[in-house]
Amino acid sequence: MLKGISSLISPELLKVLMEMGHADDIVFGDGNFPAASHAQRLVRADGHGITELLNAVLPLFPLDIYVESPVALMAVTPGDTVKTPIWDEYRNIVREHHSKEIELEEVERSAFYERAKKAYAVVSTGEKALYANIILKKGVVVE
């Protein structure tokens, strides 16, 4: 263990976060996300929810300020009546850890899967909320 780093961040996840460069994407997939079949690098975080992982990762992880939206959500499929209250939690977490107001982009499901296949890594979580998948685009450290 290390000081100042959440115990939710496994050694494997910490390594991936450190390896990532500017503009690389990382996906946090919910429990239904086909992580193993879409990942170039798969990180297991079974048993953890995405909100708790975001709260652990975002203090360490700069978001890309050079793109319109460095945070992408899987859009609800048209006609699906599922509610997405977890998105409000994501907005609050992003706002808490980044001073610049960030608009969360909604990406159609198939397009989201294609972006996930190209992402640097996919984190497979135990998140139970539907449409809880999220992509973060890494920015630069300016300090």
Side-chain angles (χ1 to χ4, degrees), residues 7 23 28 31 38 44 71 73 91 103 127 129 131 135 139-141:
S7 61
F28 289 83
H38 284 66
R44 303 298 309 200
V71 180
L73 306 168
R91 284 183 186 87
E103 191 65 33
E127 179 60 58
Y131 291 101
I135 300 173
V140 296
V141 176

Side-chain angles (χ1 to χ4, degrees), residues 6-135:
S6 170
S7 61
L8 293 176
I9 299 176
S10 68
E12 182 181 17
L13 179 54
L14 184 60
K15 179 181 183 290
V16 163
L17 296 172
M18 289 291 295
E19 289 172 341
M20 291 175 67
H22 179 228
D24 279 341
D25 287 340
I26 187 167
V27 178
F28 289 83
D30 63 32
N32 290 303
F33 189 79
S37 63
H38 284 66
Q40 292 184 45
R41 290 166 195 83
L42 179 63
V43 177
R44 303 298 309 200
D46 303 293
H48 298 299
I50 294 175
T51 56
E52 61 186 328
L53 286 166
L54 291 178
N55 273 313
V57 167
L58 283 175
L60 310 172
F61 190 91
L63 292 174
D64 193 343
I65 61 170
Y66 299 111
V67 296
E68 190 172 327
S69 181
V71 180
L73 306 168
M74 180 185 284
V76 175
T77 301
D80 198 340
T81 59
V82 171
K83 302 293 181 207
T84 55
I86 197 164
W87 291 5
D88 291 328
E89 293 179 52
Y90 291 170
R91 284 183 186 87
N92 291 334
I93 293 166
V94 169
R95 191 175 297 120
E96 179 181 335
H97 296 290
H98 293 278
S99 56
K100 182 182 175 193
E101 188 65 28
I102 294 174
E103 191 65 33
L104 280 58
E105 175 187 12
E106 293 183 32
V107 179
E108 184 272 331
R109 186 172 60 93
S110 295
F112 190 98
Y113 286 145
E114 289 306 309
R115 280 185 63 180
K117 289 177 184 176
K118 297 174 186 171
Y120 188 83
V122 176
V123 180
S124 179
T125 75
E127 179 60 58
K128 294 178 182 159
L130 299 177
Y131 291 101
N133 307 303
I134 186 169
I135 300 173

